[in-house]
Amino acid sequence: MPKKWVVNASPLIVLGRINHLFLLQHLAAELVVPAGVAREIAQGPEDDPARQWLLSYGQELVREVQLIPPVVIAWNLGLGETEVLSWAYENPGYEVILDDRAARNCALSLNLPIRGTISVLYQFRFLLQQIGALTKLHEAAWV
């Protein structure tokens, strides 16, 4: 099943700082940035790579969240976390990409699949290893 991710601000900021925002679109078939997350990042420094990305490439990924379920409101989380969890709750099949502990606990209580920034980086490393193995097999005339 193709991956569908809804991403919070902290993974965008961290991946932007290490120049790896491209990973999100390469590893997920569908990527959503809730509008509340985009607004949080827009309040940051003008030179923030995540902010610049959202003003260019990432702009097409921003979606308005129409409904915040009471079960998510009850957790009293920040705007970005609330919208990420609400999107995944209302749109089954999405995995939440966030690092905040309270938000992760909320996701667990709602049985939402979770992945953090480190997991995204690990998945990329695993993909590179697979590509390397295929290249070696190809060079050995196995493929």
Side-chain angles (χ1 to χ4, degrees):
M1 174 181 229
K3 291 178 180 69
K4 298 185 333 183
W5 290 352
V6 55
V7 64
N8 194 31
S10 61
L12 291 173
I13 292 166
V14 170
L15 292 171
R17 287 184 180 160
I18 63 171
N19 199 28
H20 279 68
L21 279 166
F22 68 92
L23 291 180
L24 295 171
Q25 288 177 287
H26 286 289
L27 294 174
E30 291 183 43
L31 186 64
V32 170
V33 177
V37 170
R39 284 192 291 277
E40 286 181 349
I41 291 174
Q43 293 174 2
E46 286 186 28
D47 64 343
D48 177 36
R51 181 178 181 190
Q52 294 171 356
W53 180 78
L54 278 171
L55 291 172
S56 58
Y57 305 110
Q59 189 172 16
E60 67 188 35
L61 306 171
V62 176
R63 301 285 181 272
E64 290 292 335
V65 174
Q66 302 300 319
L67 176 67
I68 307 293
V71 68
V72 176
I73 291 172
W75 283 82
N76 197 31
L77 301 167
L79 176 63
E81 290 86 358
T82 297
E83 288 198 5
V84 165
L85 293 162
S86 296
W87 182 276
Y89 188 77
E90 293 297 323
N91 298 277
Y94 276 86
E95 185 172 10
V96 297
I97 310 299
L98 47 74
D99 297 321
D100 181 85
R101 174 155 331 263
R104 292 172 73 86
N105 288 339
C106 177
L108 286 170
S109 77
L110 299 173
N111 294 315
L112 298 174
I114 312 162
R115 184 179 303 267
T117 304
I118 297 298
S119 179
V120 170
L121 291 168
Y122 182 79
Q123 184 175 353
F124 180 62
R125 179 177 174 240
F126 180 72
L127 180 64
L128 288 178
Q129 289 172 339
Q130 288 179 319
I131 292 169
L134 286 173
T135 301
K136 288 179 183 177
L137 286 173
H138 182 70
E139 289 170 356
W142 284 91
V143 179

